[in-house]
Amino acid sequence: MTYTEAGMTMTGHGADTPMEVFNAGTTDLDELAIFVVDANRPFSSPASLD
């Protein structure tokens, strides 16, 4: 896991690595996420509803 303090930035993980963002603090989370993706590949894998 990577932790970032309020007001700081961080870079994401490398290609093909899932990422989850959550707020472990006591205030509301304001987040801006930008993804650079390969247009020739799917953005995510299909959901399984089993």
Side-chain angles (χ1 to χ4, degrees):
M1 268 197 241
T2 302
Y3 293 93
T4 303
E5 296 294 327
M8 303 301 293
T9 61
M10 69 174 251
T11 56
H13 304 289
D16 298 319
T17 304
M19 216 169 82
E20 177 183 359
V21 176
F22 68 94
N23 181 12
T26 57
T27 60
D28 292 340
L29 172 66
D30 292 320
E31 168 199 351
L32 170 64
I34 299 173
F35 298 93
V36 178
V37 298
D38 183 342
N40 297 314
R41 295 182 60 190
F43 182 70
S44 63
S45 55
S48 174
L49 302 175
D50 295 336

Short mmCIF file of all heavy atoms in Angstrom, two decimals:
data_model
loop_
_atom_site.label_atom_id
_atom_site.label_comp_id
_atom_site.label_asym_id
_atom_site.label_seq_id
_atom_site.Cartn_x
_atom_site.Cartn_y
_atom_site.Cartn_z
N MET A 1 0.83 -1.19 0.00
CA MET A 1 0.00 0.00 0.00
C MET A 1 0.87 1.25 0.00
O MET A 1 1.97 1.25 0.53
CB MET A 1 -0.88 0.02 1.25
CG MET A 1 -2.21 -0.59 1.06
SD MET A 1 -3.31 -0.10 2.39
CE MET A 1 -3.63 -1.69 3.06
N THR A 2 0.33 2.27 -0.58
CA THR A 2 0.99 3.56 -0.59
C THR A 2 0.09 4.55 0.13
O THR A 2 -1.11 4.62 -0.13
CB THR A 2 1.21 4.05 -2.04
OG1 THR A 2 1.99 3.08 -2.72
CG2 THR A 2 1.93 5.38 -2.06
N TYR A 3 0.64 5.31 1.04
CA TYR A 3 -0.12 6.31 1.78
C TYR A 3 0.33 7.70 1.36
O TYR A 3 1.52 7.93 1.12
CB TYR A 3 0.09 6.15 3.29
CG TYR A 3 -0.49 4.88 3.83
CD1 TYR A 3 0.28 3.74 3.95
CD2 TYR A 3 -1.82 4.83 4.22
CE1 TYR A 3 -0.26 2.56 4.43
CE2 TYR A 3 -2.37 3.66 4.72
CZ TYR A 3 -1.58 2.53 4.82
OH TYR A 3 -2.11 1.37 5.30
N THR A 4 -0.60 8.61 1.26
CA THR A 4 -0.30 9.99 0.90
C THR A 4 -1.01 10.91 1.88
O THR A 4 -2.19 10.73 2.16
CB THR A 4 -0.78 10.29 -0.54
OG1 THR A 4 -0.15 9.35 -1.42
CG2 THR A 4 -0.38 11.68 -0.96
N GLU A 5 -0.30 11.88 2.39
CA GLU A 5 -0.88 12.84 3.34
C GLU A 5 -1.73 13.88 2.59
O GLU A 5 -1.58 14.07 1.39
CB GLU A 5 0.24 13.55 4.11
CG GLU A 5 1.06 12.63 4.99
CD GLU A 5 0.27 12.03 6.13
OE1 GLU A 5 -0.64 12.71 6.65
OE2 GLU A 5 0.55 10.88 6.49
N ALA A 6 -2.59 14.54 3.31
CA ALA A 6 -3.45 15.58 2.74
C ALA A 6 -2.62 16.62 2.01
O ALA A 6 -1.57 17.04 2.49
CB ALA A 6 -4.27 16.24 3.84
N GLY A 7 -3.07 17.01 0.82
CA GLY A 7 -2.40 18.03 0.04
C GLY A 7 -1.24 17.52 -0.80
O GLY A 7 -0.64 18.27 -1.55
N MET A 8 -0.92 16.24 -0.70
CA MET A 8 0.20 15.67 -1.44
C MET A 8 -0.31 14.94 -2.69
O MET A 8 -1.50 14.69 -2.83
CB MET A 8 0.99 14.70 -0.56
CG MET A 8 1.52 15.32 0.72
SD MET A 8 2.62 16.73 0.46
CE MET A 8 4.00 15.93 -0.29
N THR A 9 0.59 14.58 -3.59
CA THR A 9 0.24 13.83 -4.79
C THR A 9 0.99 12.50 -4.79
O THR A 9 1.94 12.32 -4.03
CB THR A 9 0.62 14.61 -6.07
OG1 THR A 9 2.03 14.82 -6.07
CG2 THR A 9 -0.09 15.95 -6.12
N MET A 10 0.55 11.60 -5.63
CA MET A 10 1.27 10.34 -5.80
C MET A 10 1.05 9.83 -7.21
O MET A 10 0.05 10.15 -7.84
CB MET A 10 0.81 9.29 -4.79
CG MET A 10 -0.59 8.78 -5.00
SD MET A 10 -1.01 7.43 -3.88
CE MET A 10 -1.05 6.07 -5.01
N THR A 11 2.00 9.05 -7.71
CA THR A 11 1.82 8.41 -9.01
C THR A 11 1.24 7.03 -8.78
O THR A 11 1.41 6.42 -7.73
CB THR A 11 3.16 8.29 -9.75
OG1 THR A 11 4.09 7.57 -8.92
CG2 THR A 11 3.75 9.65 -10.07
N GLY A 12 0.53 6.54 -9.77
CA GLY A 12 -0.11 5.24 -9.67
C GLY A 12 0.87 4.11 -9.92
O GLY A 12 2.08 4.31 -10.06
N HIS A 13 0.32 2.92 -9.98
CA HIS A 13 1.11 1.73 -10.22
C HIS A 13 1.37 1.57 -11.71
O HIS A 13 0.77 2.25 -12.53
CB HIS A 13 0.37 0.51 -9.68
CG HIS A 13 0.03 0.63 -8.22
ND1 HIS A 13 0.98 0.55 -7.23
CD2 HIS A 13 -1.14 0.84 -7.59
CE1 HIS A 13 0.40 0.69 -6.06
NE2 HIS A 13 -0.89 0.88 -6.25
N GLY A 14 2.21 0.62 -12.07
CA GLY A 14 2.53 0.35 -13.47
C GLY A 14 1.37 -0.30 -14.21
O GLY A 14 0.33 -0.59 -13.64
N ALA A 15 1.60 -0.53 -15.48
CA ALA A 15 0.57 -1.13 -16.34
C ALA A 15 0.12 -2.49 -15.81
O ALA A 15 0.89 -3.22 -15.20
CB ALA A 15 1.14 -1.29 -17.75
N ASP A 16 -1.15 -2.80 -16.07
CA ASP A 16 -1.75 -4.09 -15.70
C ASP A 16 -1.77 -4.35 -14.21
O ASP A 16 -1.80 -5.50 -13.77
CB ASP A 16 -1.06 -5.24 -16.43
CG ASP A 16 -1.20 -5.12 -17.94
OD1 ASP A 16 -2.30 -4.75 -18.39
OD2 ASP A 16 -0.22 -5.38 -18.66
N THR A 17 -1.73 -3.31 -13.38
CA THR A 17 -1.79 -3.47 -11.94
C THR A 17 -3.06 -2.80 -11.43
O THR A 17 -3.22 -1.59 -11.59
CB THR A 17 -0.56 -2.81 -11.26
OG1 THR A 17 0.62 -3.37 -11.83
CG2 THR A 17 -0.57 -3.03 -9.77
N PRO A 18 -3.97 -3.54 -10.83
CA PRO A 18 -5.20 -2.93 -10.30
C PRO A 18 -4.88 -1.92 -9.21
O PRO A 18 -3.89 -2.07 -8.49
CB PRO A 18 -5.98 -4.10 -9.72
CG PRO A 18 -5.38 -5.32 -10.31
CD PRO A 18 -3.96 -4.98 -10.61
N MET A 19 -5.71 -0.90 -9.09
CA MET A 19 -5.50 0.12 -8.09
C MET A 19 -6.81 0.45 -7.39
O MET A 19 -7.87 0.45 -8.02
CB MET A 19 -4.97 1.38 -8.78
CG MET A 19 -3.97 2.15 -7.99
SD MET A 19 -3.18 3.42 -8.97
CE MET A 19 -4.36 4.72 -8.90
N GLU A 20 -6.77 0.71 -6.10
CA GLU A 20 -7.94 1.11 -5.34
C GLU A 20 -7.55 2.33 -4.50
O GLU A 20 -6.49 2.36 -3.91
CB GLU A 20 -8.38 -0.03 -4.41
CG GLU A 20 -9.55 0.33 -3.53
CD GLU A 20 -9.92 -0.79 -2.57
OE1 GLU A 20 -9.29 -1.85 -2.61
OE2 GLU A 20 -10.84 -0.57 -1.79
N VAL A 21 -8.43 3.32 -4.48
CA VAL A 21 -8.19 4.53 -3.69
C VAL A 21 -9.25 4.58 -2.60
O VAL A 21 -10.43 4.37 -2.86
CB VAL A 21 -8.27 5.79 -4.58
CG1 VAL A 21 -8.11 7.04 -3.74
CG2 VAL A 21 -7.22 5.74 -5.67
N PHE A 22 -8.83 4.85 -1.38
CA PHE A 22 -9.79 4.99 -0.29
C PHE A 22 -9.30 6.04 0.68
O PHE A 22 -8.14 6.42 0.69
CB PHE A 22 -10.03 3.65 0.42
CG PHE A 22 -8.84 3.15 1.19
CD1 PHE A 22 -8.70 3.43 2.54
CD2 PHE A 22 -7.87 2.42 0.56
CE1 PHE A 22 -7.60 2.97 3.24
CE2 PHE A 22 -6.76 1.96 1.26
CZ PHE A 22 -6.62 2.24 2.60
N ASN A 23 -10.22 6.51 1.50
CA ASN A 23 -9.93 7.54 2.48
C ASN A 23 -9.85 6.91 3.86
O ASN A 23 -10.84 6.39 4.37
CB ASN A 23 -11.03 8.61 2.44
CG ASN A 23 -10.78 9.73 3.42
OD1 ASN A 23 -9.70 9.86 3.98
ND2 ASN A 23 -11.79 10.56 3.63
N ALA A 24 -8.67 6.93 4.47
CA ALA A 24 -8.50 6.39 5.82
C ALA A 24 -8.50 7.51 6.86
O ALA A 24 -8.25 7.27 8.02
CB ALA A 24 -7.19 5.62 5.90
N GLY A 25 -8.80 8.73 6.42
CA GLY A 25 -8.77 9.88 7.32
C GLY A 25 -10.13 10.18 7.92
O GLY A 25 -11.08 9.42 7.79
N THR A 26 -10.20 11.32 8.55
CA THR A 26 -11.43 11.72 9.23
C THR A 26 -12.18 12.82 8.49
O THR A 26 -13.22 13.28 8.96
CB THR A 26 -11.10 12.22 10.66
OG1 THR A 26 -10.17 13.30 10.56
CG2 THR A 26 -10.50 11.10 11.50
N THR A 27 -11.67 13.26 7.34
CA THR A 27 -12.34 14.28 6.54
C THR A 27 -12.76 13.70 5.21
O THR A 27 -12.35 12.61 4.83
CB THR A 27 -11.43 15.50 6.31
OG1 THR A 27 -10.26 15.07 5.60
CG2 THR A 27 -11.01 16.14 7.62
N ASP A 28 -13.60 14.43 4.46
CA ASP A 28 -14.04 13.97 3.15
C ASP A 28 -12.86 13.87 2.19
O ASP A 28 -11.90 14.63 2.28
CB ASP A 28 -15.08 14.92 2.57
CG ASP A 28 -16.40 14.89 3.33
OD1 ASP A 28 -16.64 13.89 4.04
OD2 ASP A 28 -17.16 15.86 3.20
N LEU A 29 -12.96 12.94 1.25
CA LEU A 29 -11.92 12.73 0.24
C LEU A 29 -12.28 13.52 -1.02
O LEU A 29 -13.36 13.37 -1.56
CB LEU A 29 -11.81 11.25 -0.09
CG LEU A 29 -10.91 10.87 -1.27
CD1 LEU A 29 -9.45 11.21 -0.94
CD2 LEU A 29 -11.05 9.40 -1.60
N ASP A 30 -11.38 14.39 -1.45
CA ASP A 30 -11.48 15.06 -2.75
C ASP A 30 -10.34 14.49 -3.59
O ASP A 30 -9.18 14.63 -3.23
CB ASP A 30 -11.32 16.57 -2.61
CG ASP A 30 -12.48 17.20 -1.87
OD1 ASP A 30 -13.63 16.77 -2.11
OD2 ASP A 30 -12.24 18.10 -1.05
N GLU A 31 -10.68 13.87 -4.71
CA GLU A 31 -9.69 13.15 -5.49
C GLU A 31 -9.84 13.48 -6.96
O GLU A 31 -10.95 13.63 -7.46
CB GLU A 31 -9.90 11.64 -5.30
CG GLU A 31 -9.14 10.79 -6.24
CD GLU A 31 -9.72 9.39 -6.33
OE1 GLU A 31 -10.58 9.02 -5.55
OE2 GLU A 31 -9.28 8.67 -7.23
N LEU A 32 -8.73 13.61 -7.66
CA LEU A 32 -8.72 13.74 -9.11
C LEU A 32 -7.83 12.62 -9.62
O LEU A 32 -6.64 12.57 -9.30
CB LEU A 32 -8.17 15.10 -9.55
CG LEU A 32 -7.89 15.23 -11.05
CD1 LEU A 32 -9.19 15.12 -11.85
CD2 LEU A 32 -7.19 16.53 -11.36
N ALA A 33 -8.40 11.70 -10.37
CA ALA A 33 -7.63 10.57 -10.92
C ALA A 33 -7.61 10.70 -12.43
O ALA A 33 -8.64 10.91 -13.07
CB ALA A 33 -8.26 9.26 -10.51
N ILE A 34 -6.41 10.58 -13.01
CA ILE A 34 -6.24 10.64 -14.46
C ILE A 34 -5.59 9.33 -14.89
O ILE A 34 -4.56 8.93 -14.34
CB ILE A 34 -5.35 11.83 -14.88
CG1 ILE A 34 -6.00 13.13 -14.45
CG2 ILE A 34 -5.09 11.80 -16.38
CD1 ILE A 34 -5.13 14.36 -14.67
N PHE A 35 -6.20 8.64 -15.85
CA PHE A 35 -5.66 7.39 -16.36
C PHE A 35 -5.21 7.57 -17.79
O PHE A 35 -5.96 8.08 -18.62
CB PHE A 35 -6.74 6.29 -16.32
CG PHE A 35 -7.22 5.99 -14.93
CD1 PHE A 35 -8.33 6.63 -14.41
CD2 PHE A 35 -6.57 5.05 -14.15
CE1 PHE A 35 -8.79 6.35 -13.14
CE2 PHE A 35 -7.01 4.76 -12.87
CZ PHE A 35 -8.12 5.41 -12.37
N VAL A 36 -4.01 7.15 -18.10
CA VAL A 36 -3.52 7.11 -19.47
C VAL A 36 -3.61 5.66 -19.90
O VAL A 36 -2.98 4.79 -19.31
CB VAL A 36 -2.06 7.62 -19.57
CG1 VAL A 36 -1.56 7.54 -20.99
CG2 VAL A 36 -1.97 9.04 -19.03
N VAL A 37 -4.43 5.38 -20.92
CA VAL A 37 -4.69 4.00 -21.31
C VAL A 37 -4.35 3.76 -22.78
O VAL A 37 -4.26 4.70 -23.57
CB VAL A 37 -6.18 3.64 -21.06
CG1 VAL A 37 -6.51 3.74 -19.58
CG2 VAL A 37 -7.10 4.51 -21.86
N ASP A 38 -4.18 2.50 -23.12
CA ASP A 38 -3.94 2.06 -24.49
C ASP A 38 -5.31 1.90 -25.15
O ASP A 38 -6.11 1.06 -24.73
CB ASP A 38 -3.17 0.74 -24.47
CG ASP A 38 -2.82 0.24 -25.86
OD1 ASP A 38 -3.43 0.68 -26.84
OD2 ASP A 38 -1.93 -0.63 -25.96
N ALA A 39 -5.59 2.66 -26.18
CA ALA A 39 -6.89 2.63 -26.84
C ALA A 39 -7.17 1.29 -27.50
O ALA A 39 -8.32 0.97 -27.82
CB ALA A 39 -6.98 3.75 -27.87
N ASN A 40 -6.15 0.47 -27.71
CA ASN A 40 -6.33 -0.82 -28.35
C ASN A 40 -6.57 -1.95 -27.35
O ASN A 40 -6.67 -3.10 -27.74
CB ASN A 40 -5.10 -1.16 -29.20
CG ASN A 40 -4.93 -0.17 -30.33
OD1 ASN A 40 -5.89 0.15 -31.02
ND2 ASN A 40 -3.72 0.34 -30.50
N ARG A 41 -6.65 -1.63 -26.08
CA ARG A 41 -6.89 -2.65 -25.04
C ARG A 41 -8.11 -2.25 -24.22
O ARG A 41 -8.38 -1.06 -24.06
CB ARG A 41 -5.68 -2.74 -24.12
CG ARG A 41 -4.44 -3.26 -24.84
CD ARG A 41 -3.28 -3.40 -23.93
NE ARG A 41 -3.60 -4.33 -22.85
CZ ARG A 41 -2.83 -4.50 -21.79
NH1 ARG A 41 -1.71 -3.82 -21.66
NH2 ARG A 41 -3.17 -5.35 -20.85
N PRO A 42 -8.83 -3.22 -23.67
CA PRO A 42 -9.99 -2.86 -22.83
C PRO A 42 -9.54 -2.12 -21.57
O PRO A 42 -8.46 -2.38 -21.05
CB PRO A 42 -10.60 -4.22 -22.48
CG PRO A 42 -9.62 -5.25 -22.86
CD PRO A 42 -8.63 -4.64 -23.79
N PHE A 43 -10.37 -1.19 -21.10
CA PHE A 43 -10.03 -0.42 -19.90
C PHE A 43 -10.08 -1.29 -18.65
O PHE A 43 -9.33 -1.09 -17.72
CB PHE A 43 -10.99 0.77 -19.76
CG PHE A 43 -10.68 1.66 -18.59
CD1 PHE A 43 -9.54 2.44 -18.58
CD2 PHE A 43 -11.52 1.69 -17.50
CE1 PHE A 43 -9.24 3.25 -17.49
CE2 PHE A 43 -11.23 2.49 -16.40
CZ PHE A 43 -10.10 3.27 -16.41
N SER A 44 -11.02 -2.25 -18.62
CA SER A 44 -11.13 -3.16 -17.48
C SER A 44 -11.63 -4.51 -17.95
O SER A 44 -12.09 -4.66 -19.09
CB SER A 44 -12.09 -2.57 -16.43
OG SER A 44 -13.38 -2.46 -16.97
N SER A 45 -11.54 -5.49 -17.10
CA SER A 45 -12.04 -6.81 -17.45
C SER A 45 -13.54 -6.87 -17.15
O SER A 45 -14.03 -6.17 -16.27
CB SER A 45 -11.30 -7.89 -16.68
OG SER A 45 -11.37 -7.63 -15.29
N PRO A 46 -14.28 -7.71 -17.88
CA PRO A 46 -15.73 -7.80 -17.66
C PRO A 46 -16.06 -8.27 -16.24
O PRO A 46 -15.33 -9.07 -15.66
CB PRO A 46 -16.19 -8.83 -18.70
CG PRO A 46 -15.08 -8.91 -19.69
CD PRO A 46 -13.83 -8.55 -18.96
N ALA A 47 -17.14 -7.77 -15.70
CA ALA A 47 -17.58 -8.18 -14.37
C ALA A 47 -18.19 -9.57 -14.42
O ALA A 47 -18.79 -9.96 -15.41
CB ALA A 47 -18.62 -7.19 -13.83
N SER A 48 -18.02 -10.32 -13.34
CA SER A 48 -18.63 -11.63 -13.22
C SER A 48 -19.75 -11.53 -12.19
O SER A 48 -19.54 -11.09 -11.07
CB SER A 48 -17.59 -12.64 -12.76
OG SER A 48 -18.20 -13.89 -12.49
N LEU A 49 -20.96 -11.91 -12.58
CA LEU A 49 -22.11 -11.78 -11.70
C LEU A 49 -22.55 -13.13 -11.17
O LEU A 49 -23.73 -13.40 -10.97
CB LEU A 49 -23.26 -11.09 -12.43
CG LEU A 49 -22.94 -9.70 -12.99
CD1 LEU A 49 -24.10 -9.17 -13.80
CD2 LEU A 49 -22.58 -8.75 -11.87
N ASP A 50 -21.61 -14.01 -10.91
CA ASP A 50 -21.92 -15.36 -10.38
C ASP A 50 -22.36 -15.30 -8.95
O ASP A 50 -21.94 -14.61 -8.14
CB ASP A 50 -20.71 -16.26 -10.49
CG ASP A 50 -20.34 -16.51 -11.94
OD1 ASP A 50 -21.22 -16.38 -12.80
OD2 ASP A 50 -19.16 -16.84 -12.20
#
